[in-house]
Amino acid sequence: HVQLVESGGGSVQAGGSLRLSCTASGFAFGDVAMGWFRQPPGKEREGVSCINSSGGTTYGGDPLKARFTISRDNVKSTLYLQMYSLKPEDTAMYYCAASPRARCNGDHWRDRNYFGYWGQGTQVTVS
């Protein structure tokens, strides 16, 4: 069965860095687009970044693109999100998600329904 397991979250001071990982199993990881979303306390879940099966990337806005880097290792079936210069407003539960499609397809990936499988999330707290 499909599993997505996030790790790497934690508490960090403003200006610090974290690298999130998402280990996938139960499907052809290398064939699908993958995404990172986050949900701040009391707010809606929002798209952070998406990566095509081939490695092309897109972000949920220039401010995120400036500080976050999404990547994938298809051999290890693992998705990453490197986060730099973290701010208190980055505090959120971070989720990885797998799409049934190979590409992020413009801004379509920002719709949660573009993704069929979700992990349980990893908490990031920036103070």
Side-chain angles (χ1 to χ4, degrees):
H1 66 285
V2 173
Q3 272 196 313
L4 297 172
V5 181
E6 301 96 335
S7 61
S11 296
V12 64
Q13 290 188 337
S17 300
L18 281 174
R19 188 176 81 156
L20 306 183
S21 299
C22 172
T23 302
S25 61
F27 65 101
F29 178 84
D31 290 346
V32 303
M34 297 291 296
W36 284 103
F37 285 72
R38 68 183 182 183
Q39 187 163 14
K43 296 185 179 180
E44 294 290 316
R45 195 172 296 190
E46 63 177 358
V48 174
S49 185
C50 182
I51 185 166
N52 294 334
S53 61
S54 58
T57 61
T58 186
Y59 294 85
D62 288 340
L64 291 171
K65 184 178 181 179
R67 299 185 294 115
F68 293 3
T69 301
I70 190 172
S71 62
R72 65 191 298 161
D73 184 331
N74 288 343
V75 174
K76 295 182 178 179
S77 294
T78 302
L79 177 72
Y80 302 100
L81 184 69
Q82 178 69 56
M83 304 184 293
Y84 301 98
S85 301
L86 284 162
K87 303 176 181 181
E89 51 263 44
D90 295 317
T91 294
M93 185 72 79
Y94 284 72
Y95 300 89
C96 72
S99 173
R101 303 166 184 83
R103 299 184 61 83
C104 301
N105 195 15
D107 282 339
H108 289 275
W109 69 273
R110 300 177 71 168
D111 182 342
R112 292 178 54 178
N113 293 319
Y114 198 76
F115 296 86
Y117 298 102
W118 293 81
Q120 292 299 306
T122 186
Q123 178 68 39
V124 172
T125 302
V126 185
S127 59

PDB file of all heavy atoms in Angstrom, residues 77-91:
ATOM      1  N   SER A  77      13.635   6.884  -3.612  1.00  0.00           N
ATOM      2  CA  SER A  77      12.196   7.173  -3.457  1.00  0.00           C
ATOM      3  C   SER A  77      11.963   8.177  -2.336  1.00  0.00           C
ATOM      4  O   SER A  77      11.099   7.992  -1.466  1.00  0.00           O
ATOM      5  CB  SER A  77      11.409   5.879  -3.176  1.00  0.00           C
ATOM      6  OG  SER A  77      11.444   5.022  -4.290  1.00  0.00           O
ATOM      7  N   THR A  78      12.732   9.242  -2.376  1.00  0.00           N
ATOM      8  CA  THR A  78      12.671  10.238  -1.307  1.00  0.00           C
ATOM      9  C   THR A  78      12.567  11.641  -1.882  1.00  0.00           C
ATOM     10  O   THR A  78      13.265  11.986  -2.834  1.00  0.00           O
ATOM     11  CB  THR A  78      13.898  10.132  -0.388  1.00  0.00           C
ATOM     12  OG1 THR A  78      13.963   8.807   0.161  1.00  0.00           O
ATOM     13  CG2 THR A  78      13.801  11.135   0.761  1.00  0.00           C
ATOM     14  N   LEU A  79      11.709  12.413  -1.291  1.00  0.00           N
ATOM     15  CA  LEU A  79      11.492  13.813  -1.626  1.00  0.00           C
ATOM     16  C   LEU A  79      12.081  14.666  -0.516  1.00  0.00           C
ATOM     17  O   LEU A  79      12.013  14.294   0.668  1.00  0.00           O
ATOM     18  CB  LEU A  79       9.984  14.077  -1.736  1.00  0.00           C
ATOM     19  CG  LEU A  79       9.525  15.491  -2.014  1.00  0.00           C
ATOM     20  CD1 LEU A  79       9.832  15.870  -3.465  1.00  0.00           C
ATOM     21  CD2 LEU A  79       8.032  15.621  -1.734  1.00  0.00           C
ATOM     22  N   TYR A  80      12.651  15.804  -0.892  1.00  0.00           N
ATOM     23  CA  TYR A  80      13.278  16.688   0.081  1.00  0.00           C
ATOM     24  C   TYR A  80      12.734  18.094  -0.051  1.00  0.00           C
ATOM     25  O   TYR A  80      12.294  18.526  -1.121  1.00  0.00           O
ATOM     26  CB  TYR A  80      14.794  16.734  -0.115  1.00  0.00           C
ATOM     27  CG  TYR A  80      15.477  15.398  -0.028  1.00  0.00           C
ATOM     28  CD1 TYR A  80      15.834  14.704  -1.179  1.00  0.00           C
ATOM     29  CD2 TYR A  80      15.767  14.830   1.208  1.00  0.00           C
ATOM     30  CE1 TYR A  80      16.465  13.472  -1.104  1.00  0.00           C
ATOM     31  CE2 TYR A  80      16.399  13.588   1.293  1.00  0.00           C
ATOM     32  CZ  TYR A  80      16.737  12.922   0.137  1.00  0.00           C
ATOM     33  OH  TYR A  80      17.349  11.698   0.214  1.00  0.00           O
ATOM     34  N   LEU A  81      12.815  18.833   1.063  1.00  0.00           N
ATOM     35  CA  LEU A  81      12.568  20.269   1.050  1.00  0.00           C
ATOM     36  C   LEU A  81      13.614  20.915   1.949  1.00  0.00           C
ATOM     37  O   LEU A  81      13.572  20.765   3.172  1.00  0.00           O
ATOM     38  CB  LEU A  81      11.166  20.624   1.548  1.00  0.00           C
ATOM     39  CG  LEU A  81      10.821  22.107   1.458  1.00  0.00           C
ATOM     40  CD1 LEU A  81      10.688  22.534  -0.008  1.00  0.00           C
ATOM     41  CD2 LEU A  81       9.529  22.421   2.208  1.00  0.00           C
ATOM     42  N   GLN A  82      14.558  21.600   1.320  1.00  0.00           N
ATOM     43  CA  GLN A  82      15.571  22.334   2.069  1.00  0.00           C
ATOM     44  C   GLN A  82      15.049  23.736   2.319  1.00  0.00           C
ATOM     45  O   GLN A  82      14.663  24.427   1.372  1.00  0.00           O
ATOM     46  CB  GLN A  82      16.881  22.391   1.278  1.00  0.00           C
ATOM     47  CG  GLN A  82      17.989  23.170   1.964  1.00  0.00           C
ATOM     48  CD  GLN A  82      18.511  22.485   3.203  1.00  0.00           C
ATOM     49  OE1 GLN A  82      18.948  21.342   3.158  1.00  0.00           O
ATOM     50  NE2 GLN A  82      18.483  23.196   4.334  1.00  0.00           N
ATOM     51  N   MET A  83      15.049  24.134   3.581  1.00  0.00           N
ATOM     52  CA  MET A  83      14.507  25.436   3.957  1.00  0.00           C
ATOM     53  C   MET A  83      15.599  26.262   4.634  1.00  0.00           C
ATOM     54  O   MET A  83      16.236  25.795   5.580  1.00  0.00           O
ATOM     55  CB  MET A  83      13.312  25.264   4.900  1.00  0.00           C
ATOM     56  CG  MET A  83      12.211  24.392   4.326  1.00  0.00           C
ATOM     57  SD  MET A  83      10.745  24.285   5.370  1.00  0.00           S
ATOM     58  CE  MET A  83      11.413  23.387   6.768  1.00  0.00           C
ATOM     59  N   TYR A  84      15.803  27.469   4.118  1.00  0.00           N
ATOM     60  CA  TYR A  84      16.811  28.382   4.654  1.00  0.00           C
ATOM     61  C   TYR A  84      16.130  29.635   5.208  1.00  0.00           C
ATOM     62  O   TYR A  84      14.988  29.938   4.871  1.00  0.00           O
ATOM     63  CB  TYR A  84      17.775  28.811   3.542  1.00  0.00           C
ATOM     64  CG  TYR A  84      18.517  27.705   2.864  1.00  0.00           C
ATOM     65  CD1 TYR A  84      18.070  27.185   1.645  1.00  0.00           C
ATOM     66  CD2 TYR A  84      19.680  27.184   3.402  1.00  0.00           C
ATOM     67  CE1 TYR A  84      18.766  26.175   0.992  1.00  0.00           C
ATOM     68  CE2 TYR A  84      20.391  26.176   2.751  1.00  0.00           C
ATOM     69  CZ  TYR A  84      19.924  25.680   1.558  1.00  0.00           C
ATOM     70  OH  TYR A  84      20.610  24.679   0.915  1.00  0.00           O
ATOM     71  N   SER A  85      16.879  30.376   6.016  1.00  0.00           N
ATOM     72  CA  SER A  85      16.420  31.671   6.530  1.00  0.00           C
ATOM     73  C   SER A  85      14.982  31.589   7.035  1.00  0.00           C
ATOM     74  O   SER A  85      14.126  32.388   6.671  1.00  0.00           O
ATOM     75  CB  SER A  85      16.521  32.738   5.426  1.00  0.00           C
ATOM     76  OG  SER A  85      17.849  32.854   4.968  1.00  0.00           O
ATOM     77  N   LEU A  86      14.723  30.632   7.862  1.00  0.00           N
ATOM     78  CA  LEU A  86      13.367  30.397   8.339  1.00  0.00           C
ATOM     79  C   LEU A  86      12.854  31.564   9.170  1.00  0.00           C
ATOM     80  O   LEU A  86      13.619  32.219   9.893  1.00  0.00           O
ATOM     81  CB  LEU A  86      13.307  29.106   9.134  1.00  0.00           C
ATOM     82  CG  LEU A  86      13.331  27.849   8.256  1.00  0.00           C
ATOM     83  CD1 LEU A  86      13.715  26.620   9.055  1.00  0.00           C
ATOM     84  CD2 LEU A  86      11.997  27.655   7.571  1.00  0.00           C
ATOM     85  N   LYS A  87      11.556  31.800   9.039  1.00  0.00           N
ATOM     86  CA  LYS A  87      10.887  32.902   9.725  1.00  0.00           C
ATOM     87  C   LYS A  87       9.763  32.335  10.591  1.00  0.00           C
ATOM     88  O   LYS A  87       9.245  31.252  10.317  1.00  0.00           O
ATOM     89  CB  LYS A  87      10.296  33.868   8.697  1.00  0.00           C
ATOM     90  CG  LYS A  87      11.308  34.420   7.711  1.00  0.00           C
ATOM     91  CD  LYS A  87      10.631  35.290   6.675  1.00  0.00           C
ATOM     92  CE  LYS A  87      11.617  35.840   5.668  1.00  0.00           C
ATOM     93  NZ  LYS A  87      10.976  36.712   4.655  1.00  0.00           N
ATOM     94  N   PRO A  88       9.337  33.071  11.597  1.00  0.00           N
ATOM     95  CA  PRO A  88       8.224  32.575  12.431  1.00  0.00           C
ATOM     96  C   PRO A  88       6.982  32.236  11.611  1.00  0.00           C
ATOM     97  O   PRO A  88       6.257  31.289  11.957  1.00  0.00           O
ATOM     98  CB  PRO A  88       7.986  33.743  13.396  1.00  0.00           C
ATOM     99  CG  PRO A  88       9.318  34.394  13.531  1.00  0.00           C
ATOM    100  CD  PRO A  88       9.937  34.297  12.164  1.00  0.00           C
ATOM    101  N   GLU A  89       6.752  32.963  10.521  1.00  0.00           N
ATOM    102  CA  GLU A  89       5.574  32.693   9.686  1.00  0.00           C
ATOM    103  C   GLU A  89       5.692  31.398   8.903  1.00  0.00           C
ATOM    104  O   GLU A  89       4.732  30.969   8.255  1.00  0.00           O
ATOM    105  CB  GLU A  89       5.283  33.868   8.746  1.00  0.00           C
ATOM    106  CG  GLU A  89       6.465  34.327   7.934  1.00  0.00           C
ATOM    107  CD  GLU A  89       7.163  35.529   8.564  1.00  0.00           C
ATOM    108  OE1 GLU A  89       7.370  35.539   9.805  1.00  0.00           O
ATOM    109  OE2 GLU A  89       7.516  36.453   7.793  1.00  0.00           O
ATOM    110  N   ASP A  90       6.855  30.764   8.940  1.00  0.00           N
ATOM    111  CA  ASP A  90       7.010  29.443   8.320  1.00  0.00           C
ATOM    112  C   ASP A  90       6.526  28.327   9.249  1.00  0.00           C
ATOM    113  O   ASP A  90       6.479  27.163   8.853  1.00  0.00           O
ATOM    114  CB  ASP A  90       8.466  29.183   7.957  1.00  0.00           C
ATOM    115  CG  ASP A  90       8.980  30.126   6.875  1.00  0.00           C
ATOM    116  OD1 ASP A  90       8.232  30.359   5.909  1.00  0.00           O
ATOM    117  OD2 ASP A  90      10.116  30.609   7.010  1.00  0.00           O
ATOM    118  N   THR A  91       6.181  28.688  10.474  1.00  0.00           N
ATOM    119  CA  THR A  91       5.673  27.696  11.416  1.00  0.00           C
ATOM    120  C   THR A  91       4.408  27.055  10.881  1.00  0.00           C
ATOM    121  O   THR A  91       3.448  27.748  10.538  1.00  0.00           O
ATOM    122  CB  THR A  91       5.387  28.346  12.785  1.00  0.00           C
ATOM    123  OG1 THR A  91       6.623  28.784  13.360  1.00  0.00           O
ATOM    124  CG2 THR A  91       4.704  27.362  13.730  1.00  0.00           C
TER     125      THR A  91
END
